[in-house]
Amino acid sequence: MAVTTLVNGYDFAGGTATLVVACLGILLVIGVALGLFRLLTSAGWRRWEHR
């Protein structure tokens, strides 16, 4: 009964859309961070490129 009362007015479509946008934002931030890391660091710090 308590769970039904809690989720009764929840907008699942809006929550799902918000989750998708948040995940895309996280992936964008990770991509920007990796790109900046590659541009701003010397080759000695990027060990995975020496393989």
Side-chain angles (χ1 to χ4, degrees):
M1 180 71 186
V3 174
T4 306
T5 305
L6 285 174
V7 298
N8 192 18
Y10 184 71
D11 180 21
F12 287 100
T16 303
T18 303
L19 179 65
V20 169
V21 170
C23 289
L24 291 176
I26 289 170
L27 291 175
L28 180 67
V29 168
I30 291 171
V32 168
L34 288 175
L36 287 174
F37 179 77
R38 182 178 171 145
L39 289 175
L40 299 176
T41 57
S42 63
W45 283 80
R46 297 178 299 217
R47 295 183 185 198
W48 66 84
E49 291 183 2
H50 295 291
R51 295 180 182 175

